[in-house]
Amino acid sequence: MAAGKSWATRTAAAFMALAASAGCAGGTTGGGGPQAGAGRTSSPAASAPPAKPSGPAGALPRPGEVGRIPAPSDGLPPVISSIPTRRKVVFLTIDDGWEQDPGFLAQVRDRRIPIAAFVTRDAVEARGATDPTAQGGRFLGAGKWRYIRDLRGAGATIENHTLTHPNLPALGYARQKAEICGTSKLIRRHTGSAPTLFRPPFGNHNTLTRKAAKACGIDALLLWTATVQPGGKIAYQVPDKKLRPGDVLLLHFRPDLSRDFRILVNKIKRRGFEIGNLDAYLKAATR
């Protein structure tokens, strides 16, 4: 199989898919014409439903806004934890796949909120014990890969977070490659598109991780600058404890995700930040 699509190709595909979806939503109005003797005519413009927004969800980069992320001199995928911009924009990512909350899916779809989901096979398929960071999940709404496909259909990108969530630096190259390539193949099989981003479990990685990621068609390792705790509370990794332009926020598929996600999105907007389209910003930063 060919390696995963580039950010440029995938972003273009998102434009086309979302535009097509908007076009199909127009439709025709049901029912027959006006009743005889009613003396009224139907106005097509008045009866048509409002047009849905088209194009990628979230804030898109402005010309010249985004700083460049240089390619590493060793030719391996870069490790990125934030996007170089001064604009008040942040990026939302979510890990694992244990708690498949339908309310979260509805928010991503209906409010057109850009999300990058980094999925783990064992979480999506509800195998074995939950990852400790999932905080005791109940496998809520365990639609398994169907849920992930629905999330992708709602506009999320589906990215790689390994098969079993191991501590990768403790493994050799072959086992790291098996974890990453195996997940990429599963994502391609179940969603029709291979991932181009990889998030190492616990954020732990070494040079072998980057070599394995490259061999599996990964363009970059994406870390984070802040985590989101239950209740939508943001745990910062900077002394001033506040959002900064270009921050990448990490959530997990946890119980009460729908409620926590709503709180988080409203908090971000109250603080004057937009939620950015990660694909588009990465494309601008790595040209």
Side-chain angles (χ1 to χ4, degrees):
M1 299 293 287
K5 297 178 181 177
S6 67
W7 289 314
T9 302
R10 189 169 62 183
T11 303
F15 269 102
M16 294 174 65
L18 285 167
S21 174
C24 293
T28 58
T29 55
Q35 298 269 337
R40 293 185 298 176
T41 60
S42 174
S43 167
S47 61
K52 291 185 178 181
S54 62
L60 300 177
R62 299 163 181 155
E65 172 200 339
V66 185
R68 183 171 177 272
I69 298 175
S73 59
D74 58 11
L76 298 177
V79 180
I80 300 168
S81 57
S82 64
I83 303 298
T85 178
R86 295 182 181 179
R87 182 177 174 184
K88 293 182 72 175
V89 59
V90 296
F91 305 90
L92 301 184
T93 66
I94 182 164
D95 282 7
D96 63 54
W98 289 110
E99 295 283 333
Q100 298 177 4
D101 188 335
F104 169 70
L105 170 63
Q107 289 182 67
V108 172
R109 180 188 63 234
D110 298 342
R111 298 178 67 179
R112 301 188 76 246
I113 300 172
I115 287 288
F118 290 81
V119 299
T120 302
R121 181 203 61 190
D122 282 8
V124 172
E125 298 180 2
R127 297 188 182 192
T130 59
D131 165 11
T133 59
Q135 296 192 354
R138 300 186 305 272
F139 307 147
L140 172 67
K144 302 190 177 180
W145 287 103
R146 183 183 70 249
Y147 182 90
I148 301 303
R149 285 194 297 273
D150 290 345
L151 196 57
R152 182 176 183 271
T157 60
I158 309 303
E159 308 293 358
N160 191 319
H161 195 43
T162 72
L163 295 171
T164 66
H165 206 273
N167 180 26
L168 290 174
L171 307 181
Y173 173 77
R175 289 182 63 192
Q176 292 201 45
K177 183 180 176 185
E179 285 279 345
I180 301 170
C181 287
T183 306
S184 287
K185 289 175 182 177
L186 273 176
I187 291 172
R188 180 191 286 274
R189 182 192 309 164
H190 288 287
T191 71
S193 182
T196 58
L197 299 177
F198 173 64
R199 173 164 286 159
F202 315 107
N204 296 342
H205 61 90
N206 57 17
T207 301
L208 293 180
T209 310
R210 295 170 61 225
K211 287 181 177 178
K214 182 177 181 179
C216 299
I218 296 296
D219 292 335
L221 278 65
L222 188 73
L223 304 184
W224 59 91
T225 52
T227 60
V228 180
Q229 305 302 317
K233 180 180 179 181
I234 302 173
Y236 302 95
Q237 297 180 356
V238 291
D240 53 5
K241 305 297 182 184
K242 65 180 183 181
L243 288 176
R244 296 184 178 187
D247 273 353
V248 175
L249 275 60
L250 165 61
L251 301 91
H252 284 88
F253 286 87
R254 288 179 171 137
D256 302 315
L257 175 60
S258 178
R259 179 204 64 191
D260 294 349
F261 188 66
R262 186 178 298 107
I263 292 171
L264 172 68
V265 169
N266 292 338
K267 181 183 296 185
I268 288 169
K269 293 183 176 180
R270 282 199 310 270
R271 295 180 183 179
F273 281 78
E274 299 174 273
I275 300 172
N277 185 291
L278 181 63
D279 263 358
Y281 269 83
L282 283 172
K283 174 185 172 183
T286 55
R287 282 178 176 172

